[in-house]
Amino acid sequence: MVALALCLSRRYASMAQWGICWAVLFGALACGAPARQAGSTGDGPTGRAGAPVAIKTLTIGALDGVKSYGSFEYPGGGLASLSEIGSNGLVTDGVAGGLEPRLATALPSFDDNTIKIFPDGRMQTTWKLRDNVLWHDGVPFTADDIVFSAEIGRDPIGQSGTTYRFIESVDAPDPHTAVINWKTTYFKPLELPLAELWPYPKHLLEESYRSGDTAAFQSLPYFTSAYVHLGPFRLIDWGMGEEQVFERFDRYFRGPPRVDRVIIRTIPDPNTLYANLKARAVDIAPEKTMPSDLSLSLRDEWQRSSGGVVRQRQENWRYLLVQLNSEWARPVEVAEDIRVRRGLYAAIDLEALRAFALPGVPDTNADSFMYQSDPRAPTVGKPFARYRHDPAMAMQELANAGWRSVDGRVINAAGEPVQLSLRGSPIDTKEVAVIAQYWRTLGLAVTEEVVPPARQQDREYRAKFASFEIQSREPGDHIVGNFDSRRRPTPDNSYVGSNPTSYINPAMDRLIDRLSGTLDEGQQALILKDMGETLAADLPVLPTYFRVQMAAVISGVRALDDYPGMTQPRALARNAYLWDRD
């Protein structure tokens, strides 16, 4: 059977080798080979009676394949949240929005002087690293690896987050201490999970990196078939990124995993993934793999049949982007008159919209841009609660702005019919139609637009939407950069910018700068409260609801128990070493 397993692996590709495989296969069948036990993907050790011992395997479905491991090609389609199956970072996201140490022994703190702020405003954080961490090839992980990894992160090829703009240098005074020196006081110095500071093994990659040949470096087998990292499972078969096989790493620093193997299988069609879950051919479907209607259907069916559980968590803040660039806005009043924005917002029945988008799902109100679990949320309050569905108020606001209804049609001050545009992605089509109908009820003409897949990455096209576009973003302090006037998409910066509405408010810019330099959580909450009040007054976006993400686990599999408390998708596999199955 061992020979048979080898024959069936990807390593045997020639016709002659396949001939041997078939011979072995038929020979095994003729000899009455024993059937594999449930949950096994291959032949493992044998028991006292000679019967094979089942290999515990978990199979996870994802929509996209992986092109490479690391920070260069951070994947979508549910894969991003699975990174910690094979990889680990300094910290991981805990429940309720906190951080937990992983490669680090603890989070830096003022209490033990591992966070320092100097008189000139610079800051220093000292990370103490575990002394029992091994790369999958058995080489010890040290602080030199963090220094090397931060160098890659600061390099444009690293494609890492904005944190690196604030880092001046990283030092390693000893093998288990990494010191990060910051250019200025920065409010998220501990926010260095895997996605932000991806550890790379210096002993395997330094020579190629120092050569200066970026293309050759990024093409190394290390980033695909020869990947080595620090997670509970080590890669044994890349499967061209379409079927990745990970084997448990018994020397994992948090203890050996409870299952032997994890397979991540690419299933591009959500309906096929849904069918695989029902057939128990897939054990876990992470978030961002099935649309909400399929997830809710599966939830209801499994509640009746006990076939599994669909877990959910509060996710992104969803809203209508408002085009505030008068050069691109059509009609221009959308950009220039707050009364128009207030009127159009009052016309939308938000409760009905939430019931349509997420029937029977609680905690979707968008009156605040903060996660409910964020400890700063009570101070921030619900700045958008002042807005409620009121068609009469909607018409009054529009009339105050010079728009009036004539023969059932809304016309502007010049007597011309008002034409709005509402845009969304292909999966937003139904929602676009619902919102457009609310505005049509007032007598407005509304064009419904769908962003073609071919233009998803067309930055100029995305920046120049005419009136409104459905979008969603990670809430809390993560979202404030979307309202920074210094990050507007313009022709001068090739339409690259995180402020898609082209919102300009110097007061908001000052609040953003204050937040970036404030470490005290209570003071952060007060600044975020001022931000919320500013946004609610200006309405650069029209909030609609909080999205909910869902992940499915079949019965008999113990995984994702802490998922409902998470606020970050990247941490789905944070405790993969504890996953198990009956």
Side-chain angles (χ1 to χ4, degrees):
M1 292 302 292
V2 173
L4 174 59
L6 287 173
C7 281
L8 293 177
S9 75
R10 298 177 185 272
R11 295 177 178 85
Y12 286 77
S14 71
M15 293 302 294
Q17 289 164 330
W18 277 112
I20 295 172
C21 287
W22 284 114
V24 173
L25 174 61
F26 284 114
L29 291 173
C31 294
R36 288 176 180 165
Q37 297 185 29
S40 172
T41 60
D43 299 298
T46 57
R48 293 177 184 174
V53 176
I55 295 177
K56 281 188 178 182
T57 300
L58 292 178
T59 300
I60 306 175
L63 298 183
D64 296 341
V66 61
K67 295 180 180 178
S68 68
Y69 301 102
S71 60
F72 309 126
E73 292 279 355
Y74 211 57
L79 271 177
S81 62
L82 302 176
S83 296
E84 290 187 55
I85 287 174
S87 312
N88 271 181
L90 279 178
V91 300
T92 189
D93 295 290
V95 296
L99 291 169
E100 296 179 6
R102 275 297 185 263
L103 302 177
T105 60
L107 300 178
S109 167
F110 285 108
D111 295 338
D112 60 5
N113 211 33
T114 50
I115 298 180
K116 298 178 182 178
I117 298 179
F118 301 108
D120 61 1
R122 291 182 301 112
M123 184 170 63
Q124 185 181 84
T125 50
T126 300
W127 293 84
K128 295 295 185 179
L129 307 180
R130 296 176 184 267
D131 60 6
N132 62 336
V133 180
L134 299 176
W135 295 98
H136 290 154
D137 61 0
V139 174
F141 162 78
T142 72
D144 283 338
D145 293 311
I146 290 296
V147 174
F148 176 66
S149 303
E151 184 178 355
I152 293 177
R154 292 197 299 273
D155 191 306
I157 67 169
Q159 298 183 11
S160 297
T162 58
T163 299
Y164 284 94
R165 294 191 292 112
F166 299 94
I167 292 178
E168 184 173 68
S169 63
V170 182
D171 303 317
D174 64 62
H176 301 115
T177 305
V179 177
I180 300 179
N181 300 297
W182 301 81
K183 299 174 184 177
T184 185
T185 304
Y186 179 56
F187 79 123
K188 293 196 291 186
L190 310 185
E191 191 79 16
L192 294 173
L194 180 63
E196 192 72 29
L197 200 168
W198 196 290
Y200 292 104
K202 182 178 180 180
H203 67 284
L204 294 178
L205 298 179
E206 183 179 31
E207 182 178 352
S208 177
Y209 180 70
R210 300 283 179 232
S211 73
D213 189 334
T214 299
F217 176 69
Q218 292 180 304
S219 299
L220 289 173
Y222 169 84
F223 296 106
T224 53
S225 58
Y227 186 62
V228 168
H229 216 266
L230 305 161
F233 296 88
R234 65 182 184 89
L235 182 74
I236 61 171
D237 189 349
W238 177 47
M240 300 301 292
E242 299 299 310
E243 183 159 305
Q244 308 159 60
V245 181
F246 293 85
E247 183 177 76
R248 78 174 190 172
F249 184 55
D250 286 332
R251 302 173 74 185
Y252 180 54
F253 60 91
R254 304 195 79 200
R258 297 179 181 179
V259 298
D260 302 290
R261 189 169 293 175
V262 174
I263 298 173
I264 303 177
R265 181 171 297 153
T266 302
I267 303 174
D269 178 42
N271 292 289
T272 303
L273 177 56
Y274 173 80
N276 273 265
L277 283 164
K278 292 177 62 175
R280 302 181 69 83
V282 165
D283 301 307
I284 299 172
E287 63 178 52
K288 300 183 184 296
T289 54
M290 292 191 298
S292 58
D293 57 343
L294 283 181
S295 295
L296 293 170
S297 175
L298 188 64
R299 178 200 64 181
D300 295 343
E301 179 176 337
W302 277 356
Q303 285 176 347
R304 294 189 298 268
S305 67
S306 300
V309 61
V310 175
R311 308 188 193 279
Q312 67 185 53
R313 71 171 183 89
Q314 191 180 37
E315 197 224 7
N316 286 350
W317 194 46
R318 193 158 174 84
Y319 46 69
L320 304 185
L321 293 174
V322 183
Q323 181 57 267
L324 296 178
N325 186 321
S326 298
E327 182 181 351
W328 303 333
R330 298 293 181 272
V332 71
E333 295 95 324
V334 168
E336 297 180 348
D337 199 322
I338 182 61
R339 295 170 296 184
V340 168
R341 301 197 289 278
R342 288 199 300 254
L344 293 174
Y345 197 24
I348 303 172
D349 188 337
L350 296 175
E351 289 188 16
L353 180 63
R354 290 194 291 269
F356 167 78
L358 295 167
V361 177
D363 302 328
T364 58
N365 191 292
D367 287 345
S368 174
F369 61 94
M370 304 294 291
Y371 281 123
Q372 291 180 344
S373 57
D374 193 310
R376 300 166 297 183
T379 299
V380 175
K382 299 180 177 181
F384 293 91
R386 69 191 72 175
Y387 297 107
R388 285 292 178 261
H389 177 52
D390 189 337
M393 177 63 70
M395 287 304 302
Q396 183 60 55
E397 290 280 11
L398 296 181
N400 292 341
W403 291 6
R404 64 187 189 278
S405 178
V406 176
D407 297 328
R409 295 188 307 163
V410 173
I411 61 175
N412 61 18
E416 302 164 336
V418 175
Q419 177 75 53
L420 298 175
S421 170
L422 178 58
R423 192 164 81 178
S425 66
I427 63 171
D428 299 326
T429 303
K430 294 180 181 179
E431 195 170 319
V432 166
V434 170
I435 296 172
Q437 187 55 43
Y438 285 125
W439 291 340
R440 290 188 183 113
T441 300
L442 297 181
L444 292 155
V446 185
T447 300
E448 300 174 27
E449 298 182 17
V450 175
V451 179
R455 304 201 73 175
Q456 288 282 350
Q457 305 303 320
D458 185 335
R459 293 193 294 263
E460 180 176 0
Y461 167 78
R462 297 305 300 270
K464 292 183 176 181
F465 65 96
S467 309
F468 300 92
E469 180 176 303
I470 293 178
Q471 263 294 358
S472 58
R473 288 288 187 274
E474 189 176 345
D477 52 42
H478 298 277
I479 204 170
V480 298
N482 294 101
F483 304 105
D484 188 333
S485 67
R486 295 155 294 191
R487 299 188 184 183
R488 289 174 294 139
T490 66
D492 292 338
N493 62 18
S494 300
Y495 303 97
V496 175
S498 62
N499 178 355
T501 68
S502 294
Y503 176 57
I504 300 175
N505 185 334
M508 176 60 77
D509 293 345
R510 289 192 293 271
L511 288 170
I512 291 171
D513 291 340
R514 282 178 56 199
L515 182 65
S516 295
T518 301
L519 294 175
D520 180 77
E521 191 175 87
Q523 291 300 313
Q524 289 177 11
L526 293 173
I527 296 170
L528 289 165
K529 177 181 174 62
D530 288 344
M531 288 180 169
E533 294 300 321
T534 301
L535 294 175
D538 291 349
L539 287 182
V541 295
L542 309 182
T544 52
Y545 58 89
F546 256 98
R547 289 181 59 177
V548 172
Q549 281 294 344
M550 289 171 257
V553 182
I554 70 169
S555 59
V557 170
R558 292 181 291 282
L560 311 189
D561 293 339
D562 54 0
Y563 177 70
M566 294 182 189
T567 60
Q568 299 287 347
R570 59 198 178 196
L572 191 77
R574 57 193 291 275
N575 288 325
Y577 76 108
L578 295 176
W579 293 353
D580 205 349
R581 73 176 311 140
D582 295 339

